[in-house]
Amino acid sequence: AQSVTQLDSQVPVFEEAPVELRCNYSSSVSVYLFWYVQYPNQGLQLLLKYLSGSTLVESINGFEAEFNKSQTSFHLRKPSVHISDTAEYFCAVNEKGRRALTFGSGTRLQVQP
Amino acid sequence: DGGITQSPKYLFRKEGQNVTLSCEQNLNHDAMYWYRQDPGQGLRLIYYSQIVNDFQKGDIAEGYSVSREKKESFPLTVTSAQKNPTAFYLCASSILAGVLSSSYNEQFFGPGTRLTVL
């Protein structure tokens, strides 16, 4: 069965500093991987996804994530964060052939001035 | 504009009452989902539906019921049997590609309904 682990429940960071949000998954088959972002009292928005091909994927607002099959990881990074990046971030996995996503428990990114 | 709407945004219920949360989408998506979100636990799947008049239990279906009479609508009823219903409920939808295709399951989410049991 697929599962996702986000080791950090909260990550405080100063504005313009780099950040990494960690995500590890477990699955016996090939997977698709996703990062979603949730702002307070809102639904989830897709940030980026890995389907196939290049293991490094990027979003339009400067985030990137790298799929590492040997380490079963899909960590999210940004070289310089802004106050507006403050939100909760969810990693999710979808095993090929399954309909449902499995989400991690989320990481709250708190960007401080 | 295409999207997913959930109503109401906030809902209060007395213990012992059933309550129905609305979810509507105009994206022409085949599949729809209901998730429950609790602090520190991420999202957990309650029910999902791949086509009209068909739905499947997710990981935490006990105390909930759904219907899928129309493609665009997937209401969730929280029954009195649900022991701890206070939570944030999220509805999502996705295109359902063919079983044999190497499809992926990008889900689009509604804004959510926050249910509080008094």
Side-chain angles (χ1 to χ4, degrees), chain B residues 16-28:
Chain B
Q17 289 181 337
N18 292 354
V19 64
T20 297
L21 282 59
S22 168
C23 177
E24 305 275 332
Q25 55 98 0
N26 60 4
L27 300 168
N28 200 31

Side-chain angles (χ1 to χ4, degrees), chain A residues 32 34 36 38 41-46 49 51 88 90 94 96-106, chain B residues 9 33 35 37 40-43 45 48 50 88 90 96-97 99 102-107 109-111 114:
Chain A
Y32 302 116
F34 307 84
Y36 283 86
Q38 183 181 36
N41 291 312
Q42 294 186 26
L44 274 66
Q45 302 171 34
L46 182 66
K49 62 193 177 207
L51 306 178
E88 188 145 21
F90 292 93
N94 176 219
K96 291 184 182 179
R98 274 193 60 159
R99 298 303 180 193
L101 287 171
T102 297
F103 285 85
S105 55
Chain B
K9 189 172 177 65
Y33 311 81
Y35 293 90
Q37 184 179 16
Q41 294 192 48
L43 280 71
L45 182 66
Y48 67 100
Q50 299 184 56
F88 191 48
L90 288 160
L96 195 69
V99 174
S102 55
S103 61
Y104 68 92
N105 190 25
E106 180 174 345
Q107 295 185 13
F109 285 81
R114 188 167 296 281

Side-chain angles (χ1 to χ4, degrees), chain A residues 12 46 67 71 92 109:
Chain A
L46 182 66
F67 170 54
Q71 297 186 7
L109 176 63

Side-chain angles (χ1 to χ4, degrees), chain B residues 29-32 47-56 66-75:
Chain B
H29 284 172
D30 297 293
M32 297 186 74
Y47 269 98
Y48 67 100
S49 168
Q50 299 184 56
I51 56 173
V52 173
N53 292 324
D54 184 59
F55 45 83
Q56 311 293 328
V66 293
S67 62
R68 187 86 187 276
E69 296 177 1
K70 298 185 297 182
K71 186 176 183 178
E72 59 270 22
S73 177
F74 191 41

